[in-house]
């Protein structure tokens, strides 16, 4: 017993001693975490360099775009063929993806040999051989009559400008078929298939084995966004944000980038960590100075590294008593598979002895321990270096996503990772140490790059199919110039119907006279009160207008709430509350004893009989006060002032917000004769010739017409451009069949149109993995402000995803792209329809004045116009296209409903004065 313990103690001491000696000898191959983190940072800088258009040419990492834009989302289905060419064996697979209860994959494959004379012959012979094997496989599968989608795993460096193209940069792995470098391998294969003429194939994707690995694992785990190969060679790919990839047009979404990381360090970046053994390996390789990182970490070189170290140690008398055999001096005799055998925990030492004996050596136990530790140092260094570069990719993903903690999956393949007993564990441990705030799952690729090629094809097939159907759905929102001209023409007809006495009753566009007969001329002067009632809040304003050389408008205001019980009580209670608020404001301003002129912005449908008389047609926006509809609103206000007996006011004008907007801008710009609201609602007004307004006596001068154009189309004249989504929104609105034009182009409804499209697309499996969330079912949840945010050019897709997540929609990157596209289609149509309406107005004014060319300004207000990133630009362009003889300037209104009401009162007072002076 004691003897056994002594022996074990001796052995442990011996082992520790040898390990210390080797560690000292190979200290330059052992890295601290500080060194590894420095390598990570250097690698990250190289990633950025490789992605930049101006820096890519000199970058060691080529960062090749693969045009794979999406990982599997679980909805793929179909029958696919995969070709896998990357070595002396060539594999063909048939991959069936089905959806019965859950997604399943069936695979049948066959391996074909690629003879040496074909590998080193002509490119034509090589691709004829591939086409012949594919024909044989299809014959055996009895699918020669079908045109199945094909994915091609071609594991050689290629440049791509689309998914179904691969221009071979250079042959590697002993392949030397001439006439292929610089050519598109898909074209060469298609040519060979066509030449045979006995079957057809649709090659949809060409990918390399790293991308294939990521896609294979992505099928099982949708978090997988990195693929790594650690085998004979090494490489990595990952999903990069499109806006970071300068080499490819477009900013939307993500694309898989093939890093070709084996070349990391080719620019001298790794010189300080390369050893004399690495330099010797490189000198003896077929590509000196290239793939330096790969030569430090991959299976092709690790065995040779160990052999060179053993030779030097023997020469230095550290092992084998200084003996060196011819076998030990023979390049390639110590293989990477030997390292895997030697490092096995139980039989490692006996395997070491066996391998060394085959090299003609007679090793002692000390020698075996030393050799085992050399293998450990070399393979450990490889795992650490791969961990450092992988950490660089993971940190980039974390930064791209803007998260504090990243959860992701890395798909991994390769003989070194799979066969070495300790490699995977060491790699995982090192990665977790270097990036502690990233949760990484490592997923072993089961069926390799062949299934991956089929998955890329399945995803491409799904995206192409979805893309086509989505484009078809959204094409209904893309109006042609002819359709817009037709909308303009119909708007003109409806305007005419509203102006004519005989058709006014049945007209949908009511063209209401406002009795505002002039825009400001700059001589307006005085203090005016303005009231603004249009919702649950009520504003009282004092507006001081000063004329002269330096015209100024000074405003003071106070906001008052209108309680629900007042909104829905009696008319008397409502107007008593309004007068109570005015009284409080006059006290606040110290102006109780002054009889001020007052303008009342009353944003409810009214039929005016004079500037200071407006009959309420109907309450909207939740108001239900009794005894008001059919009554003169100004009369109700005057009676309430009289009842209070505290102050007196001169009510000069009742106006709506559209007219107020025009007046506000006309005060600054004399050519402004049109007002437009493009916000929650939509409306327009303009200065019409009195001779055309048949409802009003008199032919001289002009009057502002409140068009109430939101009702355009209520007679069915827009039915040919309304979509099923417009009909759904209309059917479920508070006023079905009314305000149809407004429902197609105003802020209150755009979000709801988008929500209905998203529900339909989700049902059809294009979005959110076909899962309709409760949130998406909620009417009104998708507010128009979200359209403005989502369509912002400055907003990355990541932020789009966070908006959707805030709405309870768990979206992928692809979902975000589609949602953005839907929002764009809906808001573009809204802006174009609004532009078509405005084109009708400006052209009418031009024709009224019998001008060849009209210069005019439009005062605009409304959140949609102000806040949406593209609405105004698209609307301006539409007006320009549809009314080319009009030069239209758009001015943003500042407080049309307050300042505008005061200006209308000022103009009303001025005109009253002028009339009295006559």
């Amino acid at each position: 017993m004691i003897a056994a313990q002594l022996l074990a103690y001796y052995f442990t001491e011996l082992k520790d001693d040898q390990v210390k000696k080797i560690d000292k000898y190979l200290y330059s191959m052992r890295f601290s975490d500080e060194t590894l983190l420095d390598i990570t940072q250097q690698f990250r800088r190289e990633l950025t360099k490789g992605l930049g258009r101006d820096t890519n040419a000199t970058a060691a990492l080529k960062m090749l775009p693969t045009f794979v834009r999406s990982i599997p989302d679980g909805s793929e289905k179909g029958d696919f063929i995969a070709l896998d060419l990357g070595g002396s064996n060539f594999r063909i697979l048939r991959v069936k993806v089905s959806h019965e209860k859950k997604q399943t994959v069936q695979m049948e494959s066959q391996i074909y040999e690629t003879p040496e004379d074909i590998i080193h012959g002509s490119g034509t012979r090589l691709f004829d051989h591939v086409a012949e094997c594919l024909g044989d496989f299809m014959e055996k599968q009895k699918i020669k009559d079908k045109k199945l989608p094909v994915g091609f795993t071609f594991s050689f460096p290629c440049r791509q400008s689309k998914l179904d193209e691969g221009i071979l940069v250079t042959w590697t792995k002993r392949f030397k078929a001439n006439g292929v470098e610089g050519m598109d391998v898909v074209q060469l294969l298609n040519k060979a298939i066509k030449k045979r003429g006995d079957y057809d194939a649709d090659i949809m994707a060409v990918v390399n084995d790293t991308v294939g690995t990521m896609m294979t694992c992505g099928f099982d785990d949708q978090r997988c966004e990195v693929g790594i190969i650690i085998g004979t060679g090494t490489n990595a790919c990952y999903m990069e944000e499109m806006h970071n990839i300068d080499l490819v047009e477009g900013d939307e979404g993500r694309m898989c980038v093939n890093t070709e990381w084996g070349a990391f360090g080719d620019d001298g970046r790794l010189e300080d960590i390369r050893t004399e053994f690495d330099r010797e390996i490189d000198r003896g390789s077929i590509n000196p100075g290239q793939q330096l990182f790969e030569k430090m970490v991959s299976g092709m070189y690790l065995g040779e590294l160990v052999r060179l170290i053993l030779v030097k140690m023997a020469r230095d008398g550290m092992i084998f008593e200084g003996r060196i055999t011819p076998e030990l001096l023979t390049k390639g005799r110590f293989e990477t598979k030997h390292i895997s055998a030697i490092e096995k925990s139980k039989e490692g030492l006996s395997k070491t002895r066996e391998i060394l004996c085959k090299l003609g050596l007679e090793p002692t136990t000390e020698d075996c321990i030393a050799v085992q530790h050399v293998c450990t140092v070399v393979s450990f260094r490889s795992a650490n270096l791969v961990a450092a570069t992988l950490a660089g990719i993971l940190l980039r993903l974390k930064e791209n996503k803007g998260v504090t903690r990243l959860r992701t999956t890395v798909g991994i393949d390769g003989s070194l990772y799979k066969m070495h007993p300790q490699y995977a564990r060491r790699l995982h441990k090192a990665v977790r140490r270097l990036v502690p705030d990233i949760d990484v799952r490592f997923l072993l690729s089961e069926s390799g790059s062949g299934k991956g090629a089929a998955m890329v094809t399945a995803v491409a097939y799904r995206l192409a199919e979805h893309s086509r159907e989505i484009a078809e759905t959204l094409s209904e929102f893309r109006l042609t110039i002819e359709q817009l001209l037709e909308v303009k023409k119909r708007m003109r007809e409806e305007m005419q119907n509203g102006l004519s006495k005989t058709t006014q009753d049945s007209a949908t566009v009511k063209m209401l006279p406002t009795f505002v007969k002039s825009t400001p001329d700059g001589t307006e002067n005085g203090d005016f009160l303005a009231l603004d009632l249009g919702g649950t809040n009520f504003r009282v304003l004092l507006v001081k207008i000063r004329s002269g050389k330096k015209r100024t408008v000074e405003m003071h205001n106070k906001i008052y709430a209108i309680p629900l019980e007042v909104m829905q009580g009696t008319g008397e209670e409502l107007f008593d509350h309004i007068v109570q608020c005015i009284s409080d404001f006059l006290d606040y301003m110290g102006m109780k004893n002054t009889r001020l002129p007052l303008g009342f912005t009353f944003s409810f449908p009214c039929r005016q009989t004079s500037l200071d008389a407006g009959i309420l047609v109907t309450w909207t926006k939740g108001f239900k006060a009794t005894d008001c509809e059919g009554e003169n609103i100004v009369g109700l206000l005057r009676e309430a002032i009289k009842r209070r007996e505290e102050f007196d006011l001169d009510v000069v004008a009742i106006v709506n917000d559209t007219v107020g907007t025009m007046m506000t801008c006309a005060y600054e710009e004399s050519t402004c004769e049109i007002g437009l609201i493009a916000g929650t609602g939509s409306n327009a007004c303009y200065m019409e010739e009195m001779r055309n307004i048949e409802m009003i006596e008199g032919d001289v001068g002009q009057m502002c017409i409140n068009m109430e154009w939101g009702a355009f189309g209520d007679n069915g004249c827009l039915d040919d451009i309304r979509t099923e989504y417009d009909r759904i929104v209309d059917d479920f609105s508070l006023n079905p069949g009314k305000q149809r034009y407004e429902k197609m182009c105003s802020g209150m409804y755009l979000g709801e149109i988008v929500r209905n499209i998203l529900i339909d697309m989700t049902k059809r499996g294009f979005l959110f993995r076909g899962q309709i969330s409760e949130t998406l079912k909620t009417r009104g949840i998708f507010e128009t402000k979200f359209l403005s945010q989502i369509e912002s050019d400055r907003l990355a897709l990541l932020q789009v995803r966070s908006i959707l997540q805030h709405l309870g929609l768990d979206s992928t990157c692809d979902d975000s792209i589609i949602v953005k596209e839907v929002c764009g289609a809906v808001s573009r149509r809204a802006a174009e329809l609004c532009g078509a309406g405005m084109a009708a107005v400006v052209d009418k004014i031009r024709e009224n004045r019998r001008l060849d060319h009209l210069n005019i300004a439009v005062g605009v207000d409304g959140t949609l116009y102000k806040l949406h990133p593209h609405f105004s630009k698209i609307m301006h362009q539409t007006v320009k296209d549809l009314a080319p003889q009009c030069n239209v300037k758009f001015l943003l209104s500042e407080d049309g409903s307050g300042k505008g009401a005061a200006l209308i009162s000022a103009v009303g007072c001025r005109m009253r004065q002028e009339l009295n002076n006559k």
Side-chain angles (χ1 to χ4, degrees):
M1 180 70 185
I2 292 168
Q5 283 176 331
L6 280 170
L7 189 65
Y9 175 74
Y10 164 75
F11 185 74
T12 306
E13 283 293 300
L14 175 72
K15 195 171 181 180
D16 286 350
D17 191 42
Q18 282 295 79
V19 163
K20 279 176 189 160
K21 262 201 282 186
I22 305 295
D23 281 347
K24 198 173 174 185
Y25 191 76
L26 297 177
Y27 79 95
S28 57
M29 285 185 136
R30 295 173 67 79
F31 304 136
S32 65
D33 280 359
E34 199 181 334
T35 303
L36 291 175
L37 285 167
D38 182 53
I39 293 166
T40 298
Q41 288 312 316
Q42 291 195 58
F43 183 75
R44 288 188 71 187
R45 283 194 285 274
E46 272 300 303
L47 284 180
T48 308
K49 198 174 169 186
L51 289 168
R53 183 180 281 111
D54 301 330
T55 47
N56 175 272
T58 57
L61 299 181
K62 285 303 167 198
M63 305 297 283
L64 303 172
T66 65
F67 294 84
V68 171
R69 295 170 186 265
S70 174
I71 47 180
D73 74 350
S75 68
E76 291 74 19
K77 56 179 183 282
D79 200 351
F80 306 97
I81 287 177
L83 311 179
D84 188 357
L85 180 68
S88 50
N89 285 335
F90 167 54
R91 202 160 59 117
I92 304 180
L93 304 91
R94 184 179 180 188
V95 182
K96 288 183 191 172
V97 188
S98 63
H99 272 278
E100 266 133 47
K101 282 179 185 162
K102 63 184 180 77
Q103 201 174 31
T104 54
V105 177
Q106 282 175 286
M107 290 197 294
E108 294 170 71
S109 70
Q110 193 168 335
I111 291 174
Y112 294 88
E113 219 177 303
T114 312
E116 284 291 315
D117 60 324
I118 286 180
I119 285 175
H120 297 123
S122 72
T124 308
R125 272 193 74 199
L126 173 64
F127 285 99
D128 283 349
H129 172 70
V130 173
E132 188 184 331
C133 297
L134 181 55
D136 175 73
F137 182 79
M138 290 175 83
E139 181 84 56
K140 286 174 179 161
Q141 290 282 325
K142 298 186 173 54
I143 49 172
K144 258 194 165 174
D145 56 331
K146 293 183 179 178
K147 188 182 180 181
L148 293 183
V150 177
F152 188 9
T153 301
F154 187 74
S155 302
F156 303 93
C158 283
R159 287 205 175 273
Q160 290 182 265
S161 65
K162 51 189 182 195
L163 188 59
D164 60 353
E165 167 199 89
I167 292 157
L168 178 64
V169 177
T170 177
W171 282 119
T172 55
K173 310 177 199 176
R174 298 183 7 266
F175 271 71
K176 273 281 179 267
N178 57 50
V180 183
E181 289 180 351
M183 301 295 283
D184 177 8
V185 295
V186 175
Q187 266 186 18
L188 295 174
L189 180 53
N190 274 330
K191 199 173 166 186
I193 292 169
K194 209 171 190 177
K195 194 161 67 180
R196 288 177 61 83
D198 59 338
Y199 67 89
D200 205 354
D202 181 13
I203 301 167
M204 290 190 74
V206 59
V207 296
N208 82 347
D209 51 355
T210 322
V211 180
T213 296
M214 182 187 79
M215 294 300 272
T216 301
C217 296
F219 181 75
D220 299 315
D221 181 343
Q222 282 152 19
R223 285 187 190 277
C224 183
E225 48 194 344
V226 182
I228 294 186
I229 302 277
I230 313 166
T232 315
T234 186
N235 194 12
C237 68
Y238 72 100
M239 296 300 288
E240 177 59 86
E241 300 295 319
M242 277 289 288
H243 62 84
N244 292 331
I245 310 171
D246 285 356
L247 302 168
V248 180
E249 287 299 311
D251 284 344
E252 301 294 10
R254 302 197 299 168
M255 184 182 283
C256 178
V257 171
N258 166 18
T259 66
E260 289 292 340
W261 80 5
F264 178 44
D266 287 6
D267 56 356
R269 215 175 258 270
L270 298 179
E271 275 320 291
D272 53 342
I273 61 162
R274 286 174 76 225
T275 64
E276 57 184 297
F277 310 111
D278 296 309
R279 291 189 179 90
E280 196 172 335
I281 286 255
D282 182 41
R283 280 195 299 272
S285 69
I286 56 166
N287 55 350
Q290 292 175 349
Q291 301 294 100
L292 297 183
F293 179 71
E294 184 169 78
K295 286 168 186 168
M296 295 168 82
V297 303
S298 82
M300 187 178 260
Y301 303 98
L302 294 194
E304 189 59 12
L305 266 172
V306 169
R307 187 188 70 81
L308 292 173
I309 293 166
L310 298 184
V311 168
K312 184 159 193 302
M313 285 176 73
R315 282 193 177 131
D316 292 347
M318 288 181 71
I319 48 173
F320 314 139
E321 295 174 342
R323 278 187 61 236
I324 298 172
T325 63
E327 290 88 342
L328 188 61
L329 287 171
T330 307
K331 186 179 176 181
R333 281 301 294 270
F334 198 101
E335 297 173 55
T336 300
K337 67 179 181 185
H338 296 149
I339 297 177
S340 298
I342 286 169
E343 284 196 70
K344 282 185 178 159
S345 49
K346 284 183 183 165
E347 68 265 35
L349 277 180
S350 61
K351 284 280 182 194
T352 311
R353 189 176 298 281
E354 195 183 302
I355 289 160
L356 293 175
C357 289
K358 281 183 185 168
L359 293 172
L361 296 159
E362 294 169 15
T364 62
T365 303
E366 277 183 295
D367 291 336
C368 291
I369 291 167
V371 170
Q372 194 179 40
H373 196 58
V374 168
C375 290
T376 302
V377 169
V378 168
S379 64
F380 223 123
R381 181 182 75 155
S382 167
N384 276 336
L385 286 171
V386 170
T389 47
L390 175 55
I393 288 175
L394 295 171
L395 286 168
R396 184 163 183 92
L397 284 173
K398 180 172 175 279
E399 189 180 277
N400 283 347
K401 291 185 180 186
V403 291
T404 47
R405 193 166 190 91
L406 175 70
R407 203 169 148 211
T408 193
T409 298
V410 174
I412 201 157
D413 202 354
S415 50
L416 182 57
Y417 181 86
K418 282 180 177 174
M419 313 306 282
H420 189 287
Q422 317 286 342
Y423 197 95
R425 192 177 53 81
R426 288 172 188 163
L427 174 69
H428 302 172
K429 216 170 164 183
V431 168
R432 285 174 184 132
R433 221 172 49 245
L434 295 175
V435 281
D437 51 358
I438 297 177
D439 301 318
V440 191
R441 179 187 180 209
F442 290 89
L443 190 57
L444 193 59
S445 169
E446 291 304 332
S447 15
S449 46
K451 179 181 170 185
M455 281 300 126
V456 172
T457 309
V459 169
Y461 192 70
R462 166 175 64 82
L463 292 179
E465 201 54 28
H466 285 187
S467 242
R468 190 184 58 72
E469 291 188 47
I470 288 163
E472 209 172 282
T473 302
L474 296 182
S475 67
E476 294 181 67
F477 289 86
R478 298 202 170 96
L479 301 175
T480 63
I481 196 88
E482 289 74 29
Q483 285 174 305
L484 290 168
L485 282 165
E486 187 57 36
V487 171
K488 175 192 168 186
K489 178 174 157 253
R490 291 173 196 173
M491 177 69 91
R492 279 294 300 272
E493 288 163 5
E494 292 301 313
M495 287 168 75
Q496 195 51 53
N497 289 342
L499 290 169
S500 302
K501 200 175 257 181
T502 53
T503 49
Q504 213 276 337
D505 277 351
S506 60
T508 52
V509 179
K510 284 297 179 193
M511 305 296 280
L512 304 172
T514 66
F515 296 87
V516 171
K517 296 188 176 185
S518 169
T519 52
D521 66 0
T523 63
E524 292 75 19
N525 198 57
D527 293 352
F528 302 87
L529 265 191
L531 308 183
D532 179 11
L533 179 66
T536 50
N537 286 332
F538 166 64
R539 268 194 319 158
V540 187
L541 304 93
L542 173 68
V543 183
K544 297 183 173 190
I545 301 171
R546 300 290 175 262
S547 59
K549 277 184 186 170
K550 206 173 174 198
R551 292 190 299 168
T552 60
V553 177
E554 186 189 316
M555 292 197 292
H556 305 270
N557 75 78
K558 211 168 174 190
I559 295 171
Y560 299 90
I562 297 190
L564 190 65
E565 63 271 18
V566 174
M567 282 168 72
Q568 300 183 353
T570 66
E572 200 168 286
E573 284 167 350
L574 174 64
F575 281 92
D576 282 349
H577 178 75
I578 287 170
V579 171
Q580 156 75 50
C581 297
I582 297 171
S583 172
D584 176 78
F585 182 76
L586 291 172
D587 276 338
Y588 171 70
M589 296 302 296
M591 299 186 78
K592 263 273 175 70
N593 301 320
T594 320
R595 187 173 188 262
L596 293 170
L598 179 139
F600 189 1
T601 299
F602 186 75
S603 299
F604 300 91
C606 279
R607 194 172 286 283
Q608 280 185 255
T609 52
S610 66
L611 185 60
D612 62 351
I615 313 296
L616 175 63
V617 178
T618 178
W619 280 122
T620 56
K621 308 175 197 178
F623 277 74
K624 290 235 171 63
T626 57
D627 306 322
C628 294
E629 290 178 358
E631 297 294 326
N632 176 10
I633 294 303
V634 175
L636 296 176
L637 179 63
R638 282 176 178 149
E639 281 165 24
I641 293 170
K642 209 176 272 179
R643 273 197 302 275
R644 192 159 182 99
E645 294 182 338
E646 270 187 31
F647 54 86
D648 194 15
L649 295 171
D650 175 17
V651 184
V652 177
I654 180 167
V655 295
N656 86 344
D657 50 357
T658 320
V659 183
T661 295
M662 178 187 78
M663 296 299 270
T664 304
C665 293
Y667 187 68
E668 307 295 337
E669 169 61 67
S670 60
T671 61
C672 179
E673 298 180 74
I674 302 171
L676 170 68
I677 298 284
T680 313
S682 183
N683 194 15
C685 68
Y686 72 101
M687 297 304 288
E688 178 59 271
E689 304 302 314
M690 281 291 288
R691 65 175 183 272
N692 295 333
I693 309 169
E694 294 180 11
M695 305 299 291
I696 304 283
E697 292 296 312
D699 285 349
V700 181
Q702 298 173 328
M703 183 181 286
C704 178
I705 290 290
N706 166 21
M707 293 176 67
E708 288 294 341
W709 79 2
F712 175 42
D714 288 5
N715 58 0
C717 71
L718 294 178
D719 283 3
D720 56 335
I721 62 164
R722 286 172 83 225
T723 67
E724 62 176 298
Y725 310 106
D726 295 309
R727 283 186 270 279
I728 294 167
V729 169
D730 182 32
D731 290 346
F732 286 96
S733 68
L734 292 170
N735 53 351
K738 292 180 177 175
Q739 301 294 98
R740 286 181 177 177
Y741 179 65
E742 183 170 76
K743 284 170 187 167
M744 293 166 85
C745 63
S746 83
M748 184 175 258
Y749 302 98
L750 299 191
E752 195 54 14
I753 296 172
V754 168
R755 186 183 72 85
N756 279 286
I757 298 171
L758 299 186
I759 285 176
D760 182 44
M761 287 186 172
T762 307
K763 280 180 186 165
R764 287 155 72 189
F766 306 157
L767 277 173
F768 312 130
R769 299 188 183 93
Q771 307 294 309
I772 299 178
S773 67
E774 283 306 311
T775 321
L776 198 54
K777 291 178 193 167
T778 312
R779 212 172 300 137
I781 193 79
F782 204 100
E783 296 170 49
T784 298
K785 70 173 182 187
F786 295 134
L787 266 81
S788 297
Q789 290 168 4
I790 285 168
E791 288 189 69
S792 165
D793 294 329
R794 295 190 303 277
L795 205 65
L797 278 182
L798 214 65
Q799 289 155 295
V800 175
R801 281 179 79 178
S802 75
I803 291 169
L804 295 174
Q805 272 156 358
H806 170 69
L807 290 170
L809 303 169
D810 185 19
S811 71
T812 63
C813 213
D814 297 326
D815 292 336
S816 303
I817 294 171
I818 295 167
V819 171
K820 196 166 183 176
E821 203 181 333
V822 170
C823 291
V826 171
S827 62
R828 168 172 280 278
R829 185 191 66 162
E832 286 175 343
L833 284 173
C834 196
M838 188 46 65
V841 174
V842 294
D843 249 352
K844 175 150 184 26
I845 295 172
R846 183 183 64 77
E847 286 173 25
N848 282 346
R849 297 176 192 178
R850 300 180 180 89
L851 295 171
D852 290 333
H853 193 87
L854 173 72
N855 286 318
I856 198 162
V858 180
V860 197
D861 203 351
T863 46
L864 188 59
Y865 184 90
K866 283 179 175 175
L867 302 178
H868 191 281
H870 309 301
F871 186 94
S872 59
K873 198 161 68 238
I874 294 166
M875 193 195 84
H876 298 170
Q877 189 57 48
T878 307
V879 175
K880 203 173 179 180
D881 294 343
L882 302 185
Q885 290 165 276
C886 302
N887 179 28
V888 186
K889 186 175 171 185
F890 290 88
L891 308 166
L892 209 51
S893 162
E894 293 302 322
D895 193 18
S897 46
K899 185 177 169 183
L903 282 164
I904 291 168
S905 304
V907 170
C909 289
R910 187 194 70 186
M911 292 187 83
R912 196 161 61 184
Q913 190 68 44
E914 285 168 9
L915 207 63
N916 291 340
N917 291 345
K918 280 179 185 175

